[in-house]
Amino acid sequence: MAYFENVNNIQFEGKESKNSLAFKYYNPKEVVGGKTMEEHLRFGVSYWHTFTGDGGDPFGKGTMIRPWDRYSDMDLAKARVEASFEFYEKLNVPFFCFHDTDVAPEGSNLKETYENLDTITAMMKDYMKTSKTKLLWNTANAFTHPRFVHGAATSCNADVFAYAAAKVKKGLEIAKDLGADNYVFWGGREGYETLLNTDLQLELDNLARFYHMAVDYAKEIGYTGQFLIEPKPKEPTTHQYDFDVATAYAFLQKYNLQDHFKFNIEANHATLAGHTFEHELRMARINGMLGSVDANQGDTLLGWDTDEFPTDLYSTTLAMYEILKNGGLGKGGLNFDAKVRRGSFEPEDLFYAHVAGMDSFAIGLKVAHQLIQDRVLDSFVEERYQSFTEGIGRDIVEGKASFHTLEAYALQNDRIKNRSGRTELLKAKINQYLLESFAKVTV
Ligand code: XUL
Ligand code: CO
């Protein structure tokens, strides 16, 4: 049964193509710096935005026209699986991601919820036998249902902690069964609204206890996927505990969890935290903690999480710069945690949106690769910090300096000369590379 009958397989047709349902820049088989685009970019489709979300917002009902919505309950869940694998194949995308509640409805009790999940994941497993699309990650939704009103692993109610643990336990079993490369923790309600009613210490200790139990259980069942924490500073809670990479990394180190986790960096979460996307990627990268990416973008005019498809080439370029410098994403990928706007309600819009995002990251990849090849930023940065490669700078870096030797040096060298940081020059160079990289052969 076809759910997207107006859409054929999306092919690479090149930048001269006028076909809206074709890739202009994403050519999966094209080699850039020794790897194909497909291997570099490892695109994923988010089940929740693409097959489950209906376009509802706090002011209005859903608007999305989805051919599978003529079904309900478990029939709807099954139709979504069918539609999803048709979508992956037509888009030629290597990965998908889901929350437990995106794929199967909750039953009247936890046991029934498990049964619904088992039916759907068995169906997915069947499709995956012949599909080239694999599971990048799955996760447990511990934020939508009213039981999570005060949090999940950080709830004041121990029964909720137990319920959330049961959901993650099941999620890890599913991850193992479906061969998920990663398992994600996004703490939807792990935070607080006000300190007035919050035991901050106990909540953070409990969150760490929860993560340790997850690590132990994965080991017990032999699940070897990468654990990822997805930082976000606010929304839905006023203050989310996994605020940003720096905060979450300090937490992981305090509780001795740093060897078991990496980060899933989402662009719109970075900007909500007052950082650029590339800042969060860089913070994760320099600490060896960059695991995966939720590829989207926010709206600079709005202060909430808009989850737009990424089309800003400046941002995709700087993101790919960090990812290439990281040596790639390993088991991670670029998951489009992005939704079509409420006004883009036709099924075809799902394809237009993903094509736009995939082409934008393909451009980012090529431009970033060229910037690295030509050492545009590297040679500038190297020269900028040159004072630390010799003399007193070298002593500092090698741990040979003290306040005594530095004072003696400063007394002799107090006529300091600084050099320009050349921000505007570097930005102009990036523009030049953005406009010209496609003329260059990068194979
Ligand atoms: C919410 C968000 C989630 C996570 C997975 O802002 O990004 O969808 O990616 O729970
Ligand atoms: Co996300």
PDB file of all heavy atoms in Angstrom, residues 395-431:
ATOM      1  N   ASP A 395      56.946  27.756  28.175  1.00  0.00           N
ATOM      2  CA  ASP A 395      57.107  27.413  29.599  1.00  0.00           C
ATOM      3  C   ASP A 395      55.743  27.239  30.271  1.00  0.00           C
ATOM      4  O   ASP A 395      55.538  26.329  31.085  1.00  0.00           O
ATOM      5  CB  ASP A 395      57.863  28.525  30.340  1.00  0.00           C
ATOM      6  CG  ASP A 395      59.359  28.489  30.029  1.00  0.00           C
ATOM      7  OD1 ASP A 395      59.799  27.538  29.347  1.00  0.00           O
ATOM      8  OD2 ASP A 395      60.057  29.428  30.452  1.00  0.00           O
ATOM      9  N   ILE A 396      54.798  28.146  29.933  1.00  0.00           N
ATOM     10  CA  ILE A 396      53.451  28.064  30.535  1.00  0.00           C
ATOM     11  C   ILE A 396      52.790  26.741  30.156  1.00  0.00           C
ATOM     12  O   ILE A 396      52.289  25.998  31.003  1.00  0.00           O
ATOM     13  CB  ILE A 396      52.573  29.259  30.079  1.00  0.00           C
ATOM     14  CG1 ILE A 396      53.136  30.577  30.625  1.00  0.00           C
ATOM     15  CG2 ILE A 396      51.128  29.069  30.499  1.00  0.00           C
ATOM     16  CD1 ILE A 396      52.494  31.839  30.047  1.00  0.00           C
ATOM     17  N   VAL A 397      52.831  26.452  28.849  1.00  0.00           N
ATOM     18  CA  VAL A 397      52.160  25.251  28.351  1.00  0.00           C
ATOM     19  C   VAL A 397      52.809  23.986  28.912  1.00  0.00           C
ATOM     20  O   VAL A 397      52.122  23.002  29.214  1.00  0.00           O
ATOM     21  CB  VAL A 397      52.191  25.260  26.795  1.00  0.00           C
ATOM     22  CG1 VAL A 397      51.729  23.925  26.236  1.00  0.00           C
ATOM     23  CG2 VAL A 397      51.304  26.376  26.258  1.00  0.00           C
ATOM     24  N   GLU A 398      54.112  24.024  29.081  1.00  0.00           N
ATOM     25  CA  GLU A 398      54.818  22.817  29.561  1.00  0.00           C
ATOM     26  C   GLU A 398      54.853  22.723  31.087  1.00  0.00           C
ATOM     27  O   GLU A 398      55.517  21.850  31.645  1.00  0.00           O
ATOM     28  CB  GLU A 398      56.240  22.785  28.986  1.00  0.00           C
ATOM     29  CG  GLU A 398      56.222  22.526  27.478  1.00  0.00           C
ATOM     30  CD  GLU A 398      57.616  22.492  26.842  1.00  0.00           C
ATOM     31  OE1 GLU A 398      58.600  22.830  27.553  1.00  0.00           O
ATOM     32  OE2 GLU A 398      57.684  22.139  25.657  1.00  0.00           O
ATOM     33  N   GLY A 399      54.167  23.646  31.742  1.00  0.00           N
ATOM     34  CA  GLY A 399      54.089  23.587  33.209  1.00  0.00           C
ATOM     35  C   GLY A 399      55.375  24.015  33.901  1.00  0.00           C
ATOM     36  O   GLY A 399      55.604  23.678  35.062  1.00  0.00           O
ATOM     37  N   LYS A 400      56.209  24.761  33.183  1.00  0.00           N
ATOM     38  CA  LYS A 400      57.497  25.163  33.779  1.00  0.00           C
ATOM     39  C   LYS A 400      57.444  26.565  34.384  1.00  0.00           C
ATOM     40  O   LYS A 400      58.436  27.030  34.934  1.00  0.00           O
ATOM     41  CB  LYS A 400      58.579  25.127  32.706  1.00  0.00           C
ATOM     42  CG  LYS A 400      58.918  23.734  32.240  1.00  0.00           C
ATOM     43  CD  LYS A 400      60.014  23.779  31.180  1.00  0.00           C
ATOM     44  CE  LYS A 400      60.264  22.398  30.595  1.00  0.00           C
ATOM     45  NZ  LYS A 400      60.773  22.498  29.221  1.00  0.00           N
ATOM     46  N   ALA A 401      56.302  27.252  34.207  1.00  0.00           N
ATOM     47  CA  ALA A 401      56.214  28.640  34.695  1.00  0.00           C
ATOM     48  C   ALA A 401      55.531  28.680  36.058  1.00  0.00           C
ATOM     49  O   ALA A 401      54.762  27.786  36.420  1.00  0.00           O
ATOM     50  CB  ALA A 401      55.425  29.476  33.692  1.00  0.00           C
ATOM     51  N   SER A 402      55.832  29.731  36.825  1.00  0.00           N
ATOM     52  CA  SER A 402      55.128  29.980  38.094  1.00  0.00           C
ATOM     53  C   SER A 402      54.853  31.475  38.158  1.00  0.00           C
ATOM     54  O   SER A 402      55.347  32.232  37.320  1.00  0.00           O
ATOM     55  CB  SER A 402      56.011  29.585  39.271  1.00  0.00           C
ATOM     56  OG  SER A 402      57.096  30.500  39.367  1.00  0.00           O
ATOM     57  N   PHE A 403      54.109  31.897  39.163  1.00  0.00           N
ATOM     58  CA  PHE A 403      53.868  33.334  39.311  1.00  0.00           C
ATOM     59  C   PHE A 403      55.198  34.083  39.487  1.00  0.00           C
ATOM     60  O   PHE A 403      55.333  35.216  39.063  1.00  0.00           O
ATOM     61  CB  PHE A 403      52.925  33.597  40.488  1.00  0.00           C
ATOM     62  CG  PHE A 403      51.468  33.550  40.101  1.00  0.00           C
ATOM     63  CD1 PHE A 403      51.075  33.078  38.859  1.00  0.00           C
ATOM     64  CD2 PHE A 403      50.481  34.017  40.976  1.00  0.00           C
ATOM     65  CE1 PHE A 403      49.735  33.049  38.490  1.00  0.00           C
ATOM     66  CE2 PHE A 403      49.138  34.000  40.613  1.00  0.00           C
ATOM     67  CZ  PHE A 403      48.761  33.507  39.376  1.00  0.00           C
ATOM     68  N   HIS A 404      56.209  33.415  40.098  1.00  0.00           N
ATOM     69  CA  HIS A 404      57.511  34.087  40.276  1.00  0.00           C
ATOM     70  C   HIS A 404      58.171  34.346  38.927  1.00  0.00           C
ATOM     71  O   HIS A 404      58.579  35.468  38.620  1.00  0.00           O
ATOM     72  CB  HIS A 404      58.446  33.215  41.139  1.00  0.00           C
ATOM     73  CG  HIS A 404      57.975  33.092  42.551  1.00  0.00           C
ATOM     74  ND1 HIS A 404      57.988  34.148  43.427  1.00  0.00           N
ATOM     75  CD2 HIS A 404      57.463  32.035  43.235  1.00  0.00           C
ATOM     76  CE1 HIS A 404      57.502  33.753  44.586  1.00  0.00           C
ATOM     77  NE2 HIS A 404      57.165  32.474  44.496  1.00  0.00           N
ATOM     78  N   THR A 405      58.269  33.295  38.091  1.00  0.00           N
ATOM     79  CA  THR A 405      58.961  33.472  36.804  1.00  0.00           C
ATOM     80  C   THR A 405      58.153  34.391  35.896  1.00  0.00           C
ATOM     81  O   THR A 405      58.717  35.163  35.123  1.00  0.00           O
ATOM     82  CB  THR A 405      59.206  32.123  36.098  1.00  0.00           C
ATOM     83  OG1 THR A 405      57.936  31.519  35.810  1.00  0.00           O
ATOM     84  CG2 THR A 405      60.039  31.173  36.944  1.00  0.00           C
ATOM     85  N   LEU A 406      56.823  34.319  36.008  1.00  0.00           N
ATOM     86  CA  LEU A 406      55.984  35.162  35.142  1.00  0.00           C
ATOM     87  C   LEU A 406      56.109  36.624  35.557  1.00  0.00           C
ATOM     88  O   LEU A 406      56.176  37.520  34.699  1.00  0.00           O
ATOM     89  CB  LEU A 406      54.521  34.700  35.198  1.00  0.00           C
ATOM     90  CG  LEU A 406      54.289  33.335  34.549  1.00  0.00           C
ATOM     91  CD1 LEU A 406      52.894  32.814  34.861  1.00  0.00           C
ATOM     92  CD2 LEU A 406      54.485  33.398  33.037  1.00  0.00           C
ATOM     93  N   GLU A 407      56.172  36.860  36.860  1.00  0.00           N
ATOM     94  CA  GLU A 407      56.341  38.251  37.312  1.00  0.00           C
ATOM     95  C   GLU A 407      57.678  38.800  36.834  1.00  0.00           C
ATOM     96  O   GLU A 407      57.763  39.911  36.304  1.00  0.00           O
ATOM     97  CB  GLU A 407      56.249  38.341  38.839  1.00  0.00           C
ATOM     98  CG  GLU A 407      56.381  39.779  39.337  1.00  0.00           C
ATOM     99  CD  GLU A 407      56.563  39.853  40.852  1.00  0.00           C
ATOM    100  OE1 GLU A 407      57.440  39.162  41.400  1.00  0.00           O
ATOM    101  OE2 GLU A 407      55.800  40.610  41.471  1.00  0.00           O
ATOM    102  N   ALA A 408      58.717  37.991  36.974  1.00  0.00           N
ATOM    103  CA  ALA A 408      60.053  38.436  36.538  1.00  0.00           C
ATOM    104  C   ALA A 408      60.015  38.743  35.041  1.00  0.00           C
ATOM    105  O   ALA A 408      60.559  39.759  34.581  1.00  0.00           O
ATOM    106  CB  ALA A 408      61.082  37.348  36.845  1.00  0.00           C
ATOM    107  N   TYR A 409      59.335  37.899  34.290  1.00  0.00           N
ATOM    108  CA  TYR A 409      59.243  38.102  32.835  1.00  0.00           C
ATOM    109  C   TYR A 409      58.449  39.374  32.529  1.00  0.00           C
ATOM    110  O   TYR A 409      58.860  40.202  31.710  1.00  0.00           O
ATOM    111  CB  TYR A 409      58.558  36.895  32.195  1.00  0.00           C
ATOM    112  CG  TYR A 409      58.415  37.020  30.690  1.00  0.00           C
ATOM    113  CD1 TYR A 409      59.430  36.597  29.833  1.00  0.00           C
ATOM    114  CD2 TYR A 409      57.258  37.580  30.122  1.00  0.00           C
ATOM    115  CE1 TYR A 409      59.301  36.723  28.455  1.00  0.00           C
ATOM    116  CE2 TYR A 409      57.125  37.716  28.744  1.00  0.00           C
ATOM    117  CZ  TYR A 409      58.151  37.280  27.917  1.00  0.00           C
ATOM    118  OH  TYR A 409      58.016  37.432  26.556  1.00  0.00           O
ATOM    119  N   ALA A 410      57.288  39.544  33.217  1.00  0.00           N
ATOM    120  CA  ALA A 410      56.417  40.702  32.940  1.00  0.00           C
ATOM    121  C   ALA A 410      57.126  42.019  33.268  1.00  0.00           C
ATOM    122  O   ALA A 410      56.944  43.019  32.557  1.00  0.00           O
ATOM    123  CB  ALA A 410      55.128  40.577  33.737  1.00  0.00           C
ATOM    124  N   LEU A 411      57.949  41.994  34.323  1.00  0.00           N
ATOM    125  CA  LEU A 411      58.673  43.223  34.691  1.00  0.00           C
ATOM    126  C   LEU A 411      59.612  43.659  33.559  1.00  0.00           C
ATOM    127  O   LEU A 411      59.818  44.841  33.329  1.00  0.00           O
ATOM    128  CB  LEU A 411      59.453  43.012  35.995  1.00  0.00           C
ATOM    129  CG  LEU A 411      58.577  43.007  37.263  1.00  0.00           C
ATOM    130  CD1 LEU A 411      59.368  42.507  38.466  1.00  0.00           C
ATOM    131  CD2 LEU A 411      58.021  44.413  37.532  1.00  0.00           C
ATOM    132  N   GLN A 412      60.139  42.676  32.842  1.00  0.00           N
ATOM    133  CA  GLN A 412      61.050  42.972  31.719  1.00  0.00           C
ATOM    134  C   GLN A 412      60.303  43.214  30.411  1.00  0.00           C
ATOM    135  O   GLN A 412      60.874  43.762  29.463  1.00  0.00           O
ATOM    136  CB  GLN A 412      62.004  41.776  31.478  1.00  0.00           C
ATOM    137  CG  GLN A 412      62.927  41.453  32.624  1.00  0.00           C
ATOM    138  CD  GLN A 412      63.852  42.611  32.946  1.00  0.00           C
ATOM    139  OE1 GLN A 412      64.448  43.215  32.055  1.00  0.00           O
ATOM    140  NE2 GLN A 412      63.931  42.968  34.222  1.00  0.00           N
ATOM    141  N   ASN A 413      59.059  42.735  30.328  1.00  0.00           N
ATOM    142  CA  ASN A 413      58.328  42.751  29.039  1.00  0.00           C
ATOM    143  C   ASN A 413      56.942  43.370  29.207  1.00  0.00           C
ATOM    144  O   ASN A 413      55.932  42.745  28.915  1.00  0.00           O
ATOM    145  CB  ASN A 413      58.176  41.322  28.497  1.00  0.00           C
ATOM    146  CG  ASN A 413      59.491  40.671  28.173  1.00  0.00           C
ATOM    147  OD1 ASN A 413      60.052  40.862  27.102  1.00  0.00           O
ATOM    148  ND2 ASN A 413      60.000  39.910  29.132  1.00  0.00           N
ATOM    149  N   ASP A 414      56.887  44.587  29.686  1.00  0.00           N
ATOM    150  CA  ASP A 414      55.573  45.170  29.951  1.00  0.00           C
ATOM    151  C   ASP A 414      55.070  46.069  28.821  1.00  0.00           C
ATOM    152  O   ASP A 414      54.046  46.706  28.942  1.00  0.00           O
ATOM    153  CB  ASP A 414      55.549  45.899  31.302  1.00  0.00           C
ATOM    154  CG  ASP A 414      56.592  46.990  31.389  1.00  0.00           C
ATOM    155  OD1 ASP A 414      57.349  47.162  30.401  1.00  0.00           O
ATOM    156  OD2 ASP A 414      56.647  47.660  32.435  1.00  0.00           O
ATOM    157  N   ARG A 415      55.796  46.132  27.715  1.00  0.00           N
ATOM    158  CA  ARG A 415      55.281  46.886  26.552  1.00  0.00           C
ATOM    159  C   ARG A 415      54.647  45.880  25.593  1.00  0.00           C
ATOM    160  O   ARG A 415      55.268  45.402  24.655  1.00  0.00           O
ATOM    161  CB  ARG A 415      56.411  47.633  25.866  1.00  0.00           C
ATOM    162  CG  ARG A 415      56.918  48.715  26.742  1.00  0.00           C
ATOM    163  CD  ARG A 415      57.946  49.581  26.122  1.00  0.00           C
ATOM    164  NE  ARG A 415      58.231  50.643  27.067  1.00  0.00           N
ATOM    165  CZ  ARG A 415      58.122  51.926  26.773  1.00  0.00           C
ATOM    166  NH1 ARG A 415      57.762  52.305  25.589  1.00  0.00           N
ATOM    167  NH2 ARG A 415      58.399  52.819  27.695  1.00  0.00           N
ATOM    168  N   ILE A 416      53.412  45.588  25.921  1.00  0.00           N
ATOM    169  CA  ILE A 416      52.762  44.473  25.219  1.00  0.00           C
ATOM    170  C   ILE A 416      52.216  44.896  23.862  1.00  0.00           C
ATOM    171  O   ILE A 416      51.601  45.952  23.718  1.00  0.00           O
ATOM    172  CB  ILE A 416      51.638  43.906  26.123  1.00  0.00           C
ATOM    173  CG1 ILE A 416      52.295  43.184  27.305  1.00  0.00           C
ATOM    174  CG2 ILE A 416      50.723  42.972  25.355  1.00  0.00           C
ATOM    175  CD1 ILE A 416      51.379  42.835  28.426  1.00  0.00           C
ATOM    176  N   LYS A 417      52.451  44.028  22.856  1.00  0.00           N
ATOM    177  CA  LYS A 417      51.923  44.287  21.507  1.00  0.00           C
ATOM    178  C   LYS A 417      50.965  43.159  21.134  1.00  0.00           C
ATOM    179  O   LYS A 417      51.357  41.993  21.133  1.00  0.00           O
ATOM    180  CB  LYS A 417      53.086  44.292  20.505  1.00  0.00           C
ATOM    181  CG  LYS A 417      53.325  45.668  19.882  1.00  0.00           C
ATOM    182  CD  LYS A 417      54.456  45.638  18.888  1.00  0.00           C
ATOM    183  CE  LYS A 417      53.908  45.352  17.497  1.00  0.00           C
ATOM    184  NZ  LYS A 417      54.983  45.144  16.509  1.00  0.00           N
ATOM    185  N   ASN A 418      49.712  43.493  20.878  1.00  0.00           N
ATOM    186  CA  ASN A 418      48.748  42.479  20.443  1.00  0.00           C
ATOM    187  C   ASN A 418      48.548  42.566  18.935  1.00  0.00           C
ATOM    188  O   ASN A 418      48.823  43.580  18.312  1.00  0.00           O
ATOM    189  CB  ASN A 418      47.410  42.691  21.155  1.00  0.00           C
ATOM    190  CG  ASN A 418      47.332  41.900  22.450  1.00  0.00           C
ATOM    191  OD1 ASN A 418      47.707  40.739  22.491  1.00  0.00           O
ATOM    192  ND2 ASN A 418      46.865  42.549  23.505  1.00  0.00           N
ATOM    193  N   ARG A 419      48.038  41.443  18.390  1.00  0.00           N
ATOM    194  CA  ARG A 419      47.735  41.439  16.951  1.00  0.00           C
ATOM    195  C   ARG A 419      46.222  41.385  16.742  1.00  0.00           C
ATOM    196  O   ARG A 419      45.498  40.864  17.586  1.00  0.00           O
ATOM    197  CB  ARG A 419      48.363  40.209  16.292  1.00  0.00           C
ATOM    198  CG  ARG A 419      49.855  40.357  16.117  1.00  0.00           C
ATOM    199  CD  ARG A 419      50.348  39.299  15.156  1.00  0.00           C
ATOM    200  NE  ARG A 419      51.254  38.376  15.814  1.00  0.00           N
ATOM    201  CZ  ARG A 419      51.636  37.226  15.288  1.00  0.00           C
ATOM    202  NH1 ARG A 419      51.168  36.836  14.128  1.00  0.00           N
ATOM    203  NH2 ARG A 419      52.469  36.452  15.930  1.00  0.00           N
ATOM    204  N   SER A 420      45.774  41.838  15.601  1.00  0.00           N
ATOM    205  CA  SER A 420      44.331  41.862  15.310  1.00  0.00           C
ATOM    206  C   SER A 420      43.765  40.442  15.242  1.00  0.00           C
ATOM    207  O   SER A 420      44.419  39.526  14.744  1.00  0.00           O
ATOM    208  CB  SER A 420      44.081  42.581  13.995  1.00  0.00           C
ATOM    209  OG  SER A 420      42.748  42.361  13.586  1.00  0.00           O
ATOM    210  N   GLY A 421      42.533  40.292  15.679  1.00  0.00           N
ATOM    211  CA  GLY A 421      41.853  38.993  15.591  1.00  0.00           C
ATOM    212  C   GLY A 421      41.205  38.752  14.232  1.00  0.00           C
ATOM    213  O   GLY A 421      40.828  37.617  13.922  1.00  0.00           O
ATOM    214  N   ARG A 422      41.066  39.814  13.422  1.00  0.00           N
ATOM    215  CA  ARG A 422      40.606  39.706  12.016  1.00  0.00           C
ATOM    216  C   ARG A 422      39.273  38.972  11.826  1.00  0.00           C
ATOM    217  O   ARG A 422      39.105  38.205  10.870  1.00  0.00           O
ATOM    218  CB  ARG A 422      41.669  38.987  11.175  1.00  0.00           C
ATOM    219  CG  ARG A 422      43.040  39.642  11.182  1.00  0.00           C
ATOM    220  CD  ARG A 422      43.286  40.477   9.947  1.00  0.00           C
ATOM    221  NE  ARG A 422      44.688  40.875   9.860  1.00  0.00           N
ATOM    222  CZ  ARG A 422      45.159  42.042  10.340  1.00  0.00           C
ATOM    223  NH1 ARG A 422      44.358  42.920  10.907  1.00  0.00           N
ATOM    224  NH2 ARG A 422      46.439  42.329  10.219  1.00  0.00           N
ATOM    225  N   THR A 423      38.331  39.198  12.738  1.00  0.00           N
ATOM    226  CA  THR A 423      37.027  38.534  12.641  1.00  0.00           C
ATOM    227  C   THR A 423      36.365  38.751  11.278  1.00  0.00           C
ATOM    228  O   THR A 423      35.886  37.802  10.643  1.00  0.00           O
ATOM    229  CB  THR A 423      36.097  39.073  13.745  1.00  0.00           C
ATOM    230  OG1 THR A 423      36.732  38.848  14.997  1.00  0.00           O
ATOM    231  CG2 THR A 423      34.753  38.383  13.724  1.00  0.00           C
ATOM    232  N   GLU A 424      36.329  39.989  10.835  1.00  0.00           N
ATOM    233  CA  GLU A 424      35.608  40.310   9.585  1.00  0.00           C
ATOM    234  C   GLU A 424      36.288  39.669   8.378  1.00  0.00           C
ATOM    235  O   GLU A 424      35.627  39.189   7.459  1.00  0.00           O
ATOM    236  CB  GLU A 424      35.501  41.825   9.403  1.00  0.00           C
ATOM    237  CG  GLU A 424      34.763  42.533  10.538  1.00  0.00           C
ATOM    238  CD  GLU A 424      35.579  42.711  11.812  1.00  0.00           C
ATOM    239  OE1 GLU A 424      36.800  42.439  11.802  1.00  0.00           O
ATOM    240  OE2 GLU A 424      34.989  43.113  12.842  1.00  0.00           O
ATOM    241  N   LEU A 425      37.621  39.670   8.396  1.00  0.00           N
ATOM    242  CA  LEU A 425      38.358  39.040   7.298  1.00  0.00           C
ATOM    243  C   LEU A 425      37.997  37.551   7.215  1.00  0.00           C
ATOM    244  O   LEU A 425      37.730  37.021   6.130  1.00  0.00           O
ATOM    245  CB  LEU A 425      39.867  39.198   7.549  1.00  0.00           C
ATOM    246  CG  LEU A 425      40.768  38.358   6.643  1.00  0.00           C
ATOM    247  CD1 LEU A 425      40.861  38.969   5.255  1.00  0.00           C
ATOM    248  CD2 LEU A 425      42.153  38.211   7.244  1.00  0.00           C
ATOM    249  N   LEU A 426      37.931  36.891   8.379  1.00  0.00           N
ATOM    250  CA  LEU A 426      37.629  35.455   8.386  1.00  0.00           C
ATOM    251  C   LEU A 426      36.200  35.193   7.921  1.00  0.00           C
ATOM    252  O   LEU A 426      35.939  34.244   7.189  1.00  0.00           O
ATOM    253  CB  LEU A 426      37.861  34.873   9.783  1.00  0.00           C
ATOM    254  CG  LEU A 426      39.327  34.889  10.229  1.00  0.00           C
ATOM    255  CD1 LEU A 426      39.456  34.505  11.687  1.00  0.00           C
ATOM    256  CD2 LEU A 426      40.186  33.967   9.365  1.00  0.00           C
ATOM    257  N   LYS A 427      35.282  36.066   8.335  1.00  0.00           N
ATOM    258  CA  LYS A 427      33.894  35.889   7.889  1.00  0.00           C
ATOM    259  C   LYS A 427      33.793  36.063   6.376  1.00  0.00           C
ATOM    260  O   LYS A 427      33.035  35.349   5.710  1.00  0.00           O
ATOM    261  CB  LYS A 427      32.981  36.882   8.605  1.00  0.00           C
ATOM    262  CG  LYS A 427      32.746  36.510  10.048  1.00  0.00           C
ATOM    263  CD  LYS A 427      31.696  37.385  10.682  1.00  0.00           C
ATOM    264  CE  LYS A 427      31.311  36.842  12.052  1.00  0.00           C
ATOM    265  NZ  LYS A 427      30.313  37.697  12.707  1.00  0.00           N
ATOM    266  N   ALA A 428      34.535  37.005   5.839  1.00  0.00           N
ATOM    267  CA  ALA A 428      34.522  37.218   4.387  1.00  0.00           C
ATOM    268  C   ALA A 428      35.084  35.995   3.669  1.00  0.00           C
ATOM    269  O   ALA A 428      34.584  35.586   2.616  1.00  0.00           O
ATOM    270  CB  ALA A 428      35.333  38.463   4.030  1.00  0.00           C
ATOM    271  N   LYS A 429      36.078  35.378   4.274  1.00  0.00           N
ATOM    272  CA  LYS A 429      36.659  34.166   3.657  1.00  0.00           C
ATOM    273  C   LYS A 429      35.636  33.033   3.646  1.00  0.00           C
ATOM    274  O   LYS A 429      35.521  32.293   2.681  1.00  0.00           O
ATOM    275  CB  LYS A 429      37.901  33.723   4.431  1.00  0.00           C
ATOM    276  CG  LYS A 429      39.171  34.423   3.970  1.00  0.00           C
ATOM    277  CD  LYS A 429      40.373  33.713   4.578  1.00  0.00           C
ATOM    278  CE  LYS A 429      41.654  34.532   4.456  1.00  0.00           C
ATOM    279  NZ  LYS A 429      42.191  34.563   3.111  1.00  0.00           N
ATOM    280  N   ILE A 430      34.903  32.909   4.734  1.00  0.00           N
ATOM    281  CA  ILE A 430      33.884  31.851   4.770  1.00  0.00           C
ATOM    282  C   ILE A 430      32.832  32.107   3.685  1.00  0.00           C
ATOM    283  O   ILE A 430      32.423  31.189   2.977  1.00  0.00           O
ATOM    284  CB  ILE A 430      33.255  31.731   6.171  1.00  0.00           C
ATOM    285  CG1 ILE A 430      34.325  31.200   7.124  1.00  0.00           C
ATOM    286  CG2 ILE A 430      32.048  30.807   6.166  1.00  0.00           C
ATOM    287  CD1 ILE A 430      33.895  31.040   8.547  1.00  0.00           C
ATOM    288  N   ASN A 431      32.424  33.356   3.538  1.00  0.00           N
ATOM    289  CA  ASN A 431      31.479  33.677   2.459  1.00  0.00           C
ATOM    290  C   ASN A 431      32.046  33.276   1.099  1.00  0.00           C
ATOM    291  O   ASN A 431      31.338  32.702   0.262  1.00  0.00           O
ATOM    292  CB  ASN A 431      31.176  35.179   2.438  1.00  0.00           C
ATOM    293  CG  ASN A 431      30.173  35.549   3.514  1.00  0.00           C
ATOM    294  OD1 ASN A 431      29.586  34.686   4.148  1.00  0.00           O
ATOM    295  ND2 ASN A 431      29.983  36.842   3.717  1.00  0.00           N
TER     296      ASN A 431
END
